[in-house]
């Protein structure tokens, strides 16, 4: 049975992007290991931002939605469908201004859907996605992953857990402006060490 991979790239750069290069290597390891089906979502192609009509449509019961409201949710439905179908989600995460790129935040806003990817119980929020692994390729110039000024990786771990993805692996090429050779070597070692069954 083939493994479904959803690859998401958030770097605005098509050329010279470290996070895209790491994503290439990660997906390449899966392809070399067996039967995989890869779906790509390039966030350099902009996604719509949430607006009042979108929120109104999302909070209207599915059976009661108008044609316009269904159209308003169509992109979100497509993104949720890609995510739901995936066994592995590979996400390129360049750190922009100490956080995630706006394009990636737009994707998150479109896939975090009450009643679809999360719900609330008496004990608090419950993620509705199950059995998925996320692998996140992080690239930064000077921000150290895990430091007090890294508002990207902890946020990603939290928001993925919120929708039910708790198995999250980071492959980090951080501080590229400070120690490019060291951090790229460590990131390549991390790609080689990923638990990918042959
Ligand atoms: C708009 C913008 C904002 C950035 N902000 C930060 C930052 O806050 N911290 C940091 O360490 N690097 C920052 N960088 C550097 C990028 O994280 C770094 O160039 C990284 O390699 C980008 O990922 P990419 O190679 O996949 O494009 C920024 C780069 C850009 C273009």
């Amino acid at each position: 049975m083939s493994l479904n991979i959803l690859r998401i790239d958030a770097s605005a750069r098509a050329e010279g992007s470290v996070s895209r290069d790491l994503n290439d290597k990660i997906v390449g390891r899966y392809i070399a290991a067996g039967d995989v089906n890869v779906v790509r979502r390039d966030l350099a192609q902009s996604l719509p931002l949430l607006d009042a009509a979108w929120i109104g449509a999302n909070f209207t019961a599915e059976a009661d939605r108008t044609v316009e409201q269904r159209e308003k949710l169509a992109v979100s439905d497509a993104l949720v469908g890609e995510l739901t179908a995936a066994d592995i989600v590979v996400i390129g995460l360049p750190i922009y201004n100490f956080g995630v790129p706006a394009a990636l935040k737009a994707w998150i806003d479109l896939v975090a859907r009450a009643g679809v990817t999360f719900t609330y119980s008496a004990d608090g929020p419950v993620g509705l996605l199950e059995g998925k692994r996320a692998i996140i390729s992080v690239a930064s110039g000077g921000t150290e992953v895990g430091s007090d000024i890294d508002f990207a990786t902890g946020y990603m771990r939290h928001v993925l857990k919120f929708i039910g993805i708790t198995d999250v692996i980071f492959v980090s090429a951080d501080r590229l402006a400070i120690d490019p050779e060291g951090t790229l070597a460590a990131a390549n070692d991390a790609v080689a060490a990923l638990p990918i069954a042959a």
Side-chain angles (χ1 to χ4, degrees), residues 142-164:
T143 302
E144 186 175 1
V145 165
S147 69
D148 288 349
I149 59 168
D150 164 18
F151 297 95
T153 63
Y155 171 71
M156 286 305 296
R157 191 183 287 283
H158 179 78
V159 80
L160 290 171
K161 181 180 171 202
F162 180 69
I163 58 174

Side-chain angles (χ1 to χ4, degrees), residues 45-195:
Q45 315 294 316
S46 298
L47 293 173
L49 299 180
L50 304 191
D51 60 13
W54 189 96
I55 292 170
N58 188 37
F59 288 105
T60 299
E62 194 176 354
D64 297 335
R65 285 180 191 140
T66 63
V67 171
E68 291 75 21
Q69 286 179 316
R70 289 172 199 280
E71 285 170 1
K72 196 72 192 169
L73 294 176
V75 173
S76 169
D77 288 341
L79 298 176
V80 169
E82 290 171 1
L83 184 57
T84 304
D87 302 298
I88 311 277
V89 189
V90 179
I91 302 173
L93 169 58
I95 295 184
Y96 285 175
N97 299 311
F98 312 102
V100 304
L104 183 56
K105 180 59 165 58
W107 179 83
I108 291 165
D109 286 345
L110 290 164
V111 298
R113 293 264 304 267
V116 181
T117 55
F118 72 91
T119 190
Y120 281 100
S121 73
D123 299 326
V126 179
L128 297 177
L129 300 177
E130 287 179 351
K132 301 183 192 307
R133 164 173 290 161
I135 304 173
I136 303 185
S137 300
V138 186
S140 85
T143 302
E144 186 175 1
V145 165
S147 69
D148 288 349
I149 59 168
D150 164 18
F151 297 95
T153 63
Y155 171 71
M156 286 305 296
R157 191 183 287 283
H158 179 78
V159 80
L160 290 171
K161 181 180 171 202
F162 180 69
I163 58 174
I165 304 176
T166 54
D167 179 355
V168 181
I169 300 173
F170 288 95
V171 170
S172 298
D174 58 348
R175 300 170 74 246
L176 282 158
I178 297 159
D179 178 18
E181 285 171 16
T183 196
L184 286 172
N188 286 330
D189 287 349
V191 172
L194 286 171

